[in-house]
Amino acid sequence: MSGVIDTDGARAEWTFPAEPGAVRTARHSVRDALRAWGLDPVLGDVTVLLVSELVTNSLRYASGPIGVGLTLCEPPGENAPFLLVEVSDPLPDPPTERTAAPDDEGGRGLQLVAGSARRWGTRRGRTGKTVWFELPLPG
């Protein structure tokens, strides 16, 4: 089961156990939040795909809970609004982006994030790391 931490206003946050069903549950949770914000038609597929890739990476390499967060960001000034997506796990090592060979069955998750997101990166936390990416909001 997932634990909803917060789904108020411009932020939604969940934690999922490191179990095989976490990817499916994370996809549904993210889709539901985007639907509630009216963003599912324009950002739903790409957001769900990228969250699936990052949660899968967390499941593959980390053994603790996986956090997923969405934040609607509307910076002042000329900066365009964006959706900030964060996936956290207890493993402190940042993921390694690599070029997958045509026959490789994995290794494309970070390539998808890098190619689809406006910006992305990683940061260390007190108990692990967070991989984040930004998607521009329509309008």
Side-chain angles (χ1 to χ4, degrees):
M1 291 302 290
S2 67
V4 176
I5 297 172
D6 183 25
T7 56
D8 186 31
R11 176 95 177 132
E13 189 174 346
W14 307 269
T15 184
F16 305 99
E19 298 173 355
V23 176
R24 181 180 62 251
T25 307
R27 279 195 307 259
H28 289 294
S29 298
V30 166
R31 178 85 64 189
D32 289 346
L34 294 174
R35 201 172 283 131
W37 291 335
L39 295 173
D40 186 41
V42 291
L43 290 179
D45 291 341
V46 69
T47 307
V48 167
L49 172 65
L50 299 181
V51 166
S52 293
E53 292 294 332
L54 294 178
V55 171
T56 298
N57 282 350
S58 290
L59 279 174
R60 181 171 289 147
Y61 300 109
S63 60
I66 300 163
V68 175
L70 306 176
T71 306
L72 296 173
C73 299
E74 296 189 34
E78 297 180 22
N79 295 326
F82 61 92
L83 175 68
L84 173 64
V85 180
E86 300 168 297
V87 177
S88 303
D89 64 50
L91 187 68
D93 302 326
T96 303
E97 187 176 3
R98 66 179 181 93
T99 302
D103 293 338
D104 287 349
E105 292 195 23
R108 291 177 182 81
L110 289 178
Q111 287 179 324
L112 285 170
V113 171
S116 302
R118 178 173 79 168
R119 294 185 329 141
W120 77 279
T122 63
R123 68 176 181 274
R124 284 187 177 222
R126 292 179 310 192
T127 60
K129 68 161 171 320
T130 298
V131 179
W132 58 268
F133 63 88
E134 297 174 358
L135 296 171
L137 293 176

